[in-house]
């Protein structure tokens, strides 16, 4: 397993090139040469990429098949015959009864190239070996299990062009082709889905639809500031909204492209489905207890055994499956609450969002994005009460790339038009939700506050989207994003300045019963020491702020000493479980907590006269509750034209004295 993922892998970091040795050994001192992990304080122990290499080496010891079976790493493919189980469950499955039918008249992809072209130098030796008999290897069925989904043929029938297509879309062993073939068994050859479509149509959309909800933008931010179509929910039942953030773990079965390392931070992270990213746990009041990245990795690998320091606070069965536990708690509550929609505050995929460069056309979904969405989102948040419910979403700093800006954030926006429930049409946007039977409405604003992690290139590399960890020549100009790392901070700060103007203008026009803002960075972090959010509260009647980023659950009441936002209720829901929590989830160690829980989500019960906010722990327990009432602000909102003056029969009555 280790050799499968590590053999021949070179990480080019500035002028430093670290190459794994043939046996996977890496010196600890090499960690100092690598950039520090996000939110870690010790560069020598916080390199994600180094840890990935170390962890994949360790995974061989856990899985063990290769040594036990005496099967050596294949020198051509870079894959280990006995140590890889494949990732076919991550491939997009065709519909029942699907028979691949290519389009023989489809033109060659515009970026196609022959296998002999220099762009395919990395994968050509593998493909040549396969066509000379290598595909008869007894382990080939494991290696090439995704071939039918990608090329529409089984690996034994595959041509060299079909294998080039596979290694362009999802390279087993990491030896990626740089261009798709110009010819293949089932054209179009640049498509990674076996001849069927790479995206589905949203409900109610047709090929001729031109409305915002049906037509992807040309560039990712063309819909910035625009209003997504209104949602309407009829009936007199109790209405619920769920909220969650920082939920998306690592996809350890992804075969990354572009020479990227696998998304594996510890040995057992090579499994299907999400794996929790181990961050670090720091104790400002007791630094001697600090648990850095490397010790926490050991806790994951040894399941909290003797080698796991007490300061790490590792809880077996919780920390190692946090996302799945929170998801199960959501499912259990959704069967009862039946939420109408979910507010998603970002950090949807660790480590760095969609693991490919920005620039994929907005009307297509890369195989990388499809695989990560399938493994981390679609396959996790499903079931009665969640199926088909809109996920109204924003980007977090890790969705941009964590410590770079050129990862596939635009694919998260594009997925809006490839999913019936994922909604992220722009970096910032708004929508309205109407409850006509109960005669109230909600205006929602979705904000990008990632300027908080956008600093000059030489500042704070651990928390800097625009920092020195960006590769040379990094750009997202073709996607409408930052053009280079030097202008990157200005780009993000201008994005926030534009949003502030837009917020004031649109919030002043709102006649809805409720006004709610959703963003990634935590309560109060507006770049103005809470003054801007205080203005939105006092002048324009902002009722609730929904945030994440800090990896725990914090319900901020208006009278909290840390809350200077003019009476605004806010909560942090960064405990979705994609990354380890700020402190130990052990309830016997609550003295280290910033809020009321470490892993969980929120359930908002909303009506015309009040909201009840409940902080739900990963085990389903209600940890804290608050009541919120509509607030108009000094810029009082006029009622909407024709708005009724009284609630109909069956609508919730106002509380006494309201």
């Amino acid at each position: 397993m280790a050799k499968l993922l590590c053999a021949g892998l070179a990480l080019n970091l500035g002028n430093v090139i670290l190459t794994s040795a043939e046996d996977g050994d890496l010196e600890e001192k090499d960690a100092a040469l690598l950039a520090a992990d996000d939110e870690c304080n010790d560069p020598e122990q916080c390199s994600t990429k180094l840890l990935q290499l170390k962890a994949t080496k360790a995974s061989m010891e856990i899985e063990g098949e290769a040594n036990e079976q005496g099967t050596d790493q294949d020198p051509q493919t870079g894959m280990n015959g006995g140590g890889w189980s494949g990732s076919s469950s991550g491939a997009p499955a065709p519909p029942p009864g699907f028979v691949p039918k290519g389009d023989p008249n489809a033109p060659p992809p515009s970026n196609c190239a022959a296998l002999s072209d220099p762009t395919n130098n990395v994968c050509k030796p593998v493909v040549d070996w396969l066509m000379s008999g290598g595909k008869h290897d007894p382990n080939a069925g494991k290696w090439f299990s995704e071939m039918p989904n990608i090329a529409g043929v089984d690996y034994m029938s595959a041509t060299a062009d079909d294998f080039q297509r596979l290694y362009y879309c999802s390279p087993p062993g990491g030896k990626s082709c740089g261009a798709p073939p110009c010819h293949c068994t089932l054209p179009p050859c640049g498509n990674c889905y076996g001849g069927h479509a790479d995206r589905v149509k949203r409900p109610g959309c047709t090929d001729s639809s031109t409305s915002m909800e049906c037509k992807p933008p040309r560039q990712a931010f063309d819909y910035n500031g625009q209003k997504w179509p209104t949602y309407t929910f009829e009936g007199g039942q109790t209405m619920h909204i769920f909220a969650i953030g920082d939920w998306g773990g690592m996809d350890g079965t992804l075969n990354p492209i572009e020479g990227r390392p696998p998304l594996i931070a510890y040995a057992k992270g090579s499994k299907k489905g999400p794996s929790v990213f181990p961050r670090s746990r720091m104790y400002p009041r007791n630094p001697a207890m600090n648990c850095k990245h490397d010790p926490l990795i050991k806790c994951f690998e040894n399941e909290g055994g003797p080698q796991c320091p007490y300061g790490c606070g590792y809880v077996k069965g919780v920390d190692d499956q946090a996302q799945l536990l929170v998801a199960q708690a959501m499912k259990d509550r959704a069967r009862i609450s039946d939420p109408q929609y979910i507010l998603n505050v970002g950090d949807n995929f660790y480590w760095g969002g969609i693991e490919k460069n920005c620039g994929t056309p907005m009307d297509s979904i890369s195989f990388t994005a499809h695989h990560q969405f399938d493994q981390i989102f679609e396959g996790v948040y499903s079931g009665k009460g969640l199926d088909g419910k809109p996920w109204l979403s924003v980007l977090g700093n890790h969705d941009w790339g964590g410590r770079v800006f050129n990862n596939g954030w635009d694919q998260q926006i594009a997925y809006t038009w490839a999913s019936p429930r994922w909604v992220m049409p722009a970096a910032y946007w708004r929508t309205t939700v109407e409850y006509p039977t109960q005669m109230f409405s909600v205006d929602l604003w979705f904000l990008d506050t990632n300027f908080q992690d956008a600093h000059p290139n030489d500042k704070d590399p651990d928390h800097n989207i625009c920092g020195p960890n960006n590769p040379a020549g990094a750009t997202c100009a073709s996607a409408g994003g930052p053009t280079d790392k030097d202008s990157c901070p200005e780009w993000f700060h201008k994005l926030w300045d534009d949003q502030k103007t837009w917020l004031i203008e649109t919030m002043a026009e709102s006649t809805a019963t409720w006004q709610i803002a959703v963003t990634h960075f935590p309560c109060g972090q507006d770049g103005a020491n809470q003054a801007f959010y205080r203005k939105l509260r006092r002048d324009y009647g902002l009722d609730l702020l929904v945030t994440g980023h800090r990896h725990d659950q914090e319900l901020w009441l208006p009278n909290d000493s840390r809350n200077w936002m003019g009476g605004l209720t806010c909560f942090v829901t960064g405990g979705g479980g994609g990354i380890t929590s700020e402190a130990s989830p052990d309830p016997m160690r609550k003295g280290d907590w910033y809020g009321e829980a470490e892993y969980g989500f929120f359930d908002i019960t909303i009506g015309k006269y009040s909201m009840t906010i409940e902080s739900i722990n990963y085990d389903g327990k209600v940890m804290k509750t608050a009541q919120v009432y509509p607030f108009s602000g000094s810029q009082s909102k006029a009622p909407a034209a024709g708005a009724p003056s009284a609630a109909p029969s069956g609508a919730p009555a106002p509380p006494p004295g309201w």
Side-chain angles (χ1 to χ4, degrees), residues 34-35 113 122 206 222 433 477 482 496 595 606 644:
L34 296 174
V122 173
T206 65
D222 288 352
V433 182
W496 178 236
I606 189 167

Side-chain angles (χ1 to χ4, degrees), residues 10-257:
L11 301 178
N12 192 341
L13 301 169
N15 295 322
V16 178
I17 298 180
L18 174 67
T19 306
S20 60
E22 184 175 342
D23 64 357
D25 287 337
L26 291 166
E27 297 293 334
E28 287 292 331
K29 65 182 180 181
D30 289 331
L33 301 177
L34 296 174
D37 233 348
D38 178 64
E39 297 163 318
C40 287
N41 296 327
D42 187 345
E44 199 157 346
Q45 300 197 46
C46 295
S47 164
T48 308
K49 293 181 178 178
L50 178 64
L51 286 167
Q52 288 171 340
L53 294 173
K54 290 162 61 181
T56 50
K57 178 187 175 186
S59 69
M60 190 170 185
E61 299 173 3
I62 288 184
E63 296 186 3
E65 292 97 337
N67 289 338
E68 291 173 9
Q69 297 176 11
T71 305
D72 294 326
Q73 175 195 358
D74 191 283
Q76 297 292 332
T77 63
M79 296 181 291
N80 190 295
W84 186 52
S85 61
S87 58
S88 59
S89 71
F98 170 75
V99 178
K101 294 182 179 179
D103 180 2
N105 299 315
S110 60
N111 61 333
C112 74
L115 183 63
S116 58
D117 189 90
T119 58
N120 293 317
N121 281 348
V122 173
C123 70
K124 184 178 185 301
V126 180
V127 176
D128 287 344
W129 175 78
L130 291 169
M131 297 310 297
S132 65
K135 65 181 179 181
H136 296 284
D137 187 285
N139 298 292
K142 297 179 181 180
W143 296 343
F144 308 123
S145 58
E146 287 182 346
M147 179 68 86
N149 299 303
I150 291 175
V153 296
D154 65 85
Y155 73 92
M156 288 300 295
S157 304
T159 65
D161 290 323
D162 296 328
F163 275 106
Q164 180 182 339
R165 184 177 182 178
L166 173 70
Y167 275 81
Y168 172 73
C169 296
S170 178
K175 295 187 176 183
S176 179
C177 287
C182 298
H183 306 282
C184 60
T185 301
L186 283 172
C189 304
N191 171 295
C192 295
Y193 302 96
H196 57 282
D198 62 352
R199 63 188 184 94
V200 299
K201 295 182 178 66
R202 295 189 64 82
C205 295
T206 65
D207 290 338
S208 60
S209 299
T210 59
S211 58
M212 178 184 181
E213 70 269 34
C214 296
K215 184 177 181 180
R218 187 180 66 84
Q219 287 190 321
F221 301 136
D222 288 352
Y223 291 152
N224 273 0
Q226 294 196 30
K227 187 174 183 180
W228 188 256
T230 297
Y231 292 95
T232 301
F233 299 105
E234 301 276 3
Q237 72 273 28
T238 302
M239 299 295 182
H240 288 263
I241 308 166
F242 282 2
I244 189 173
D246 302 75
W247 48 268
M250 298 182 297
D251 180 1
T253 59
L254 177 70
N255 294 323
I257 60 175

Side-chain angles (χ1 to χ4, degrees), residues 353-592:
I354 300 301
E355 282 294 329
K356 69 173 304 296
N357 290 340
C358 54
T360 303
M362 291 297 293
D363 61 353
S364 64
I365 300 299
S366 65
F367 190 84
T368 296
H370 203 300
H371 196 286
Q372 288 185 254
F373 267 101
D374 184 75
Q375 290 287 299
I376 309 304
F377 174 63
E378 302 289 1
V380 176
Y381 303 98
S382 60
K384 183 180 179 181
L386 290 179
D387 287 342
K389 302 301 175 65
W391 280 62
L392 311 181
S393 306
V394 298
L395 293 167
N397 58 307
H398 285 271
D399 298 314
W400 280 94
R403 293 179 292 115
V404 298
F405 67 80
N406 69 326
N407 274 9
W409 47 264
D410 50 343
Q411 283 282 273
Q412 292 200 43
I413 296 174
Y415 198 70
T416 300
W417 295 274
S419 166
R421 58 176 179 156
W422 182 267
V423 183
M424 187 198 290
Y428 65 96
W429 57 285
R430 63 190 179 112
T431 192
T432 295
V433 182
E434 294 181 346
Y435 304 84
T437 305
Q438 301 186 36
M439 305 179 76
F440 74 93
S441 59
V442 183
D443 276 345
L444 290 153
W445 288 263
F446 297 85
L447 316 176
D448 188 301
T449 48
N450 290 294
F451 75 96
Q452 297 278 6
D453 259 15
H455 312 297
N457 184 55
D458 58 345
K459 303 293 184 183
D460 195 6
D462 299 350
H463 311 85
N464 192 353
I465 296 172
C466 305
N469 295 297
N470 280 283
T475 181
C476 286
S478 65
T483 57
D484 54 59
K485 61 184 178 181
D486 292 330
S487 62
C488 175
E490 180 182 358
W491 188 93
F492 276 98
H493 283 266
K494 183 180 184 302
L495 184 69
W496 178 236
D497 288 342
D498 291 346
Q499 290 175 81
K500 289 192 291 184
T501 300
W502 166 77
L503 272 168
I504 289 173
E505 291 175 352
T506 55
M507 204 168 284
E509 299 169 354
S510 174
T511 58
T513 314
W514 298 99
Q515 288 75 33
I516 300 175
V518 181
T519 193
H520 181 65
F521 274 79
C523 299
Q525 293 193 18
D526 58 5
N529 202 27
Q530 304 193 24
F532 181 66
Y533 288 145
R534 185 163 62 247
K535 178 180 180 66
L536 295 181
R537 168 66 175 178
R538 290 179 173 175
D539 293 351
Y540 303 101
L542 181 62
D543 295 297
L544 178 65
L545 180 62
V546 180
T547 75
H549 186 68
R550 200 155 43 240
H551 308 133
D552 63 359
Q553 302 296 105
E554 307 171 24
L555 179 50
W556 287 34
L557 304 179
N559 58 354
D560 283 358
S561 60
R562 58 190 171 180
N563 187 343
W564 316 322
M565 294 179 286
L568 177 64
T569 299
C570 178
F571 62 75
V572 176
T573 181
I579 190 170
T580 49
S581 54
E582 295 289 331
S584 172
D586 183 350
M588 301 302 293
R589 301 176 66 169
K590 287 185 178 181
D592 299 320

